[in-house]
Amino acid sequence: MYHFDWLEDQVREFPLLYRKPSPRKKSQPAPTVVHKELSSAKKLTKIRSGLKDLFMEFCRHSTIHGISHIGSRHRTLFEKFWWVAVFMLSMYGCGKLIDGMYRKWDENPVIVTFDEKVTPVWAIPFPAVTICSETKVVRSKVNFTELFLRFAYGEGVKLNKTELDLLLATLQLCDEWFFTRPEYDHKYDNYKTSESIVNILHQISLTPNDTMYHCWENGVPCKLSFTESITEEGICMTFNGLKSDEMFRTKFLHSDYEYRLETKSGAHWSLEDGYAAGSDVFSYPFRGMGSGFQAGMYVQLMSTKSDLEYHCRESQGFKVLLHSPVDYPQVSTKFIRVTLGRDIAVAVKPQIISTEEALHDYEPDRRQCLFNRERQLKFFRVYSQSNCELECLTNFTLVSCGCVPYWMPRSNQTRCCETYELKCVLTAQKNLMLLNAQTQIQQQPDNNNSCDCLPACNSIHYDAEITQSIFNFKETMKLRLGPANISYEDIVENKILSKLEIYFKDVQFITSKRTEMYGLTDFIASCGGILGLCMGVSLLSLVELLYFMTIRPIMLIKNTMRRKVKIVQVESFQ
């Protein structure tokens, strides 16, 4: 049995074309044609009928699976309802799958993977090395124990103005014990130094000649390459760090003293772009030349026995921090301890994360990192998570205490905290740490208080594998210097030496890279695959649907509103 649905539709849509004309008598006069406007009710009826026919036409010609069965005249009502239910379930399934894909694309668009190529160590800077002695002052200049006992317990002669300045300045370098004990709660109240804390520290602190016996890096003497850095541990020595005007926005800093005394320029290197094309092997910051001990740094650190002060600091030796050249050293947060009379070997494994250019258009919260141009710090030229956290701590301390410690960056309008205010400073540090932890755990950012210091999109960190052994320097010096008649008694009797070796573990390493896990193209392709699988929908199917929902109905309504009825008047024939 054959069905001619298409012919029936043509006859219905164009009746005048397919209607057999009736014969007209020769003597019959020509009819008169009159065009008359349709009434609103008839127009509405025509539009409804036309839309229904349009829907049936879409069902017959649509490439979307299942639609042709819904519009077929040769399907029973039950079959049509069954196909409608199947079609609705398919649409629901597609919606759920696409919603899951969208959430994944929106919430986790970035993935950290290994880079395609390995990176040699000479393509990155040798780590900046900051060394701080746990022996804070020269005993011949400041006898801390004697001064403190006289001040706290009234033993001996009362301190004069100079001695009080020396004691208050030294206390800022000592353990927290002096500020957390109940008996010292108000001991330092109303005592102020008569001059800058940093000026006093310059007078009483150990110099590089007091703490460094030998230094070699890549076979070249490096003792003079260590320059002064002002940190929470006092006046320390830093190798391979950027100079002050390349690290700080100096126009916002005070003019009392400089935080870094480095003079070498690091203009040929940047954190985001690396070394400039054409820069030589001796560009600053110094780069690694290879792996292993021979291509690393060798330092002999020295402590004078008479300067050891176990009252101010319970541990003696040195704190060593490995950090990026752009980071200002915060030694007390993460350090390697070099104890007295020990040989410490540090094998460095760089951890570098870069970010591909396709992620520049993403919001920082989506990619979970910040480019340098996206967040400018007040005091630092280069954004890094470490610098951001230090600046945040500075701002939080200023709000909490009305001052900042000598080692934090500050403006000319901000004053340095006195010794009696250090308890407030320590409390502010702990409160900020707790606030940041609560913010991350509860996932409710507080823009007024929390730091929100995302990692830098391009960053360098230096992980360390540490081994140690006993360094019997006395026996070594006797055997090596004794036969040569070189005087060594002063070193053996009055000094304690420690040895530190820093070197890259491997000559090449694998870097990490932030890339798009789901880009816009991937999302569209996934949606197309889901729609094609469940409903047989393609891009042209959507265009077709849009055509039948917009252009065809508009044209139908437009033509119907303009249509006039044709009335044929025939005169009677007599």
Side-chain angles (χ1 to χ4, degrees):
M1 180 178 181
Y2 298 96
H3 300 281
F4 298 95
D5 290 349
W6 64 273
L7 185 58
E8 295 176 7
D9 294 336
Q10 294 292 322
V11 173
R12 188 182 299 105
E13 188 169 356
F14 306 103
L16 295 178
L17 181 63
Y18 289 92
R19 189 179 62 183
K20 184 175 181 180
S22 57
R24 189 173 52 184
K25 297 180 180 180
K26 292 183 179 180
S27 58
Q28 187 175 355
T32 303
V33 179
V34 179
H35 295 277
K36 186 178 181 182
E37 192 77 29
L38 288 174
S39 65
S40 299
K42 290 184 176 180
K43 287 181 179 180
L44 186 60
T45 303
K46 286 280 186 180
I47 291 173
R48 288 176 180 173
S49 176
L51 290 176
K52 181 180 178 182
D53 293 339
L54 184 63
F55 174 74
M56 299 302 293
E57 181 183 353
F58 169 74
C59 291
R60 288 191 299 272
H61 297 95
S62 176
T63 58
I64 301 176
H65 294 176
I67 294 294
S68 60
H69 298 289
I70 297 175
S72 175
R73 291 187 175 87
H74 304 287
R75 297 287 182 269
T76 64
L77 188 61
F78 173 77
E79 289 178 302
K80 292 182 178 182
F81 274 118
W82 190 85
W83 278 108
V84 168
V86 170
F87 183 76
M88 296 301 293
L89 285 175
S90 296
M91 286 187 61
Y92 176 78
C94 282
K96 291 295 290 183
L97 292 174
I98 292 175
D99 179 67
M101 286 295 302
Y102 175 78
R103 291 179 183 274
K104 196 171 185 179
W105 174 64
D106 183 60
E107 296 174 2
N108 301 296
V110 179
I111 185 173
V112 178
T113 60
F114 291 120
D115 204 348
E116 297 86 358
K117 298 180 180 179
V118 295
T119 303
V121 295
W122 49 81
I124 64 170
F126 193 82
V129 181
T130 298
I131 302 176
C132 301
S133 175
E134 294 273 42
T135 304
K136 297 305 178 184
V137 296
V138 180
R139 186 182 287 270
S140 60
K141 297 179 180 179
V142 179
N143 189 330
F144 174 77
T145 300
E146 178 191 348
L147 293 179
F148 185 80
L149 293 178
R150 285 166 57 190
F151 172 80
Y153 301 103
E155 297 182 6
V157 182
K158 188 177 180 180
L159 300 182
N160 58 38
K161 185 178 180 181
T162 302
E163 291 174 329
L164 184 61
D165 284 350
L166 296 176
L167 176 63
L168 294 177
T170 307
L171 276 169
Q172 297 218 15
L173 307 179
C174 294
D175 292 331
E176 294 183 11
W177 186 87
F178 292 93
F179 305 98
T180 56
R181 295 287 297 177
E183 58 266 30
Y184 300 141
D185 268 350
H186 303 285
K187 204 70 176 179
Y188 319 111
D189 288 358
N190 302 320
Y191 289 103
K192 299 181 180 180
T193 57
S194 59
E195 60 177 312
S196 167
I197 295 291
V198 175
N199 290 341
I200 300 174
L201 293 180
H202 275 123
Q203 300 170 21
I204 62 178
S205 296
L206 282 73
T207 65
N209 288 329
D210 296 324
T211 57
M212 192 173 292
Y213 189 61
H214 283 306
C215 177
W216 297 83
E217 195 263 338
N218 275 329
V220 179
C222 60
K223 188 174 181 179
L224 297 179
S225 297
F226 278 87
T227 55
E228 178 184 301
S229 293
I230 295 176
T231 73
E232 70 273 33
E233 294 289 328
I235 298 177
C236 301
M237 306 174 294
T238 297
F239 169 85
N240 220 31
L242 295 184
K243 63 179 184 177
S244 188
D245 60 350
E246 292 177 341
M247 181 175 291
F248 294 101
R249 300 182 188 275
T250 51
K251 65 179 181 180
F252 296 108
L253 284 177
H254 62 87
S255 55
D256 297 342
Y257 50 85
E258 291 190 10
Y259 293 86
R260 293 275 294 117
L261 295 185
E262 182 60 67
T263 58
K264 293 184 286 294
S265 173
H268 296 290
W269 176 84
S270 68
L271 183 61
E272 293 192 349
D273 300 325
Y275 286 99
S279 57
D280 57 41
V281 295
F282 301 107
S283 298
Y284 191 83
F286 302 125
R287 48 176 116 205
M289 298 299 178
S291 62
F293 176 78
Q294 296 297 327
M297 173 181 286
Y298 169 78
V299 185
Q300 284 187 345
L301 300 172
M302 179 172 57
S303 299
T304 304
K305 291 181 180 180
S306 59
D307 289 336
L308 299 179
E309 176 59 74
Y310 290 95
H311 189 191
C312 176
R313 286 290 183 116
E314 61 185 6
S315 297
Q316 292 297 299
F318 300 88
K319 288 182 177 179
V320 179
L321 174 67
L322 307 182
H323 57 96
S324 170
V326 301
D327 290 339
Y328 192 75
Q330 301 178 61
V331 183
S332 61
T333 57
K334 41 195 173 184
F335 58 87
I336 301 168
R337 186 181 296 280
V338 180
T339 53
L340 300 176
R342 289 281 178 172
D343 181 354
I344 307 296
V346 181
V348 177
K349 296 178 63 178
Q351 298 291 334
I352 297 182
I353 298 181
S354 61
T355 302
E356 65 179 11
E357 293 185 3
L359 296 180
H360 280 248
D361 297 331
Y362 282 74
E363 292 296 325
D365 289 337
R366 293 187 68 194
R367 72 171 108 88
Q368 286 297 297
C369 69
L370 283 165
F371 289 100
N372 190 47
R373 59 180 170 78
E374 292 179 316
R375 183 170 180 179
Q376 291 191 350
L377 302 177
K378 178 181 179 181
F379 296 113
F380 293 96
R381 287 187 179 276
V382 181
Y383 178 86
S384 70
Q385 191 172 32
S386 176
N387 291 343
C388 176
E389 289 172 350
L390 176 57
E391 187 165 302
C392 179
L393 176 60
T394 301
N395 296 333
F396 190 83
T397 303
L398 179 60
V399 172
S400 302
C401 305
C403 62
V404 297
Y406 69 91
W407 52 271
M408 289 184 180
R410 61 182 178 87
S411 63
N412 282 317
Q413 292 72 37
T414 304
R415 66 180 183 87
C416 276
C417 293
E418 296 291 341
T419 304
Y420 69 88
E421 295 173 301
L422 287 188
K423 184 175 182 179
C424 176
V425 172
L426 296 172
T427 303
Q429 293 178 6
K430 294 176 182 177
N431 289 342
L432 180 60
M433 181 173 61
L434 179 62
L435 177 64
N436 287 331
Q438 289 177 338
T439 302
Q440 295 298 322
I441 294 173
Q442 298 173 1
Q443 296 183 349
Q444 296 178 351
D446 185 353
N447 296 326
N448 296 323
N449 295 314
S450 63
C451 293
D452 193 26
C453 291
L454 294 174
C457 288
N458 299 285
S459 60
I460 302 178
H461 299 282
Y462 299 93
D463 292 341
E465 293 181 3
I466 303 171
T467 56
Q468 61 175 323
S469 63
I470 296 175
F471 180 38
N472 194 344
F473 69 96
K474 292 183 180 181
E475 191 65 27
T476 300
M477 287 195 170
K478 287 179 182 179
L479 295 172
R480 291 182 178 179
L481 302 182
N485 295 320
I486 298 176
S487 177
Y488 61 87
E489 286 80 6
D490 179 65
I491 296 294
V492 171
E493 299 301 329
N494 300 320
K495 309 291 184 181
I496 303 177
L497 266 62
S498 304
K499 191 165 71 171
L500 173 67
E501 297 116 354
I502 303 171
Y503 54 89
F504 284 116
K505 184 177 181 181
D506 300 304
V507 71
Q508 293 178 328
F509 56 93
I510 300 176
T511 61
S512 300
K513 187 176 183 180
R514 289 185 182 89
T515 59
E516 279 186 310
M517 183 168 64
Y518 287 103
L520 180 61
T521 303
D522 300 318
F523 174 70
I524 294 175
S526 299
C527 292
I530 293 172
L531 290 171
L533 175 67
C534 298
M535 303 175 64
V537 175
S538 65
L539 182 61
L540 288 179
S541 300
L542 299 178
V543 173
E544 183 183 57
L545 178 63
L546 184 65
Y547 169 72
F548 275 97
M549 292 182 65
T550 55
I551 297 178
R552 287 296 301 274
I554 291 173
M555 296 303 297
L556 173 68
I557 295 173
K558 184 179 178 180
N559 293 335
T560 303
M561 297 301 293
R562 290 180 177 179
R563 183 178 295 177
K564 295 181 179 180
V565 65
K566 182 188 294 184
I567 302 176
V568 180
Q569 297 179 350
V570 180
E571 295 181 0
S572 60
F573 176 77
Q574 294 180 354

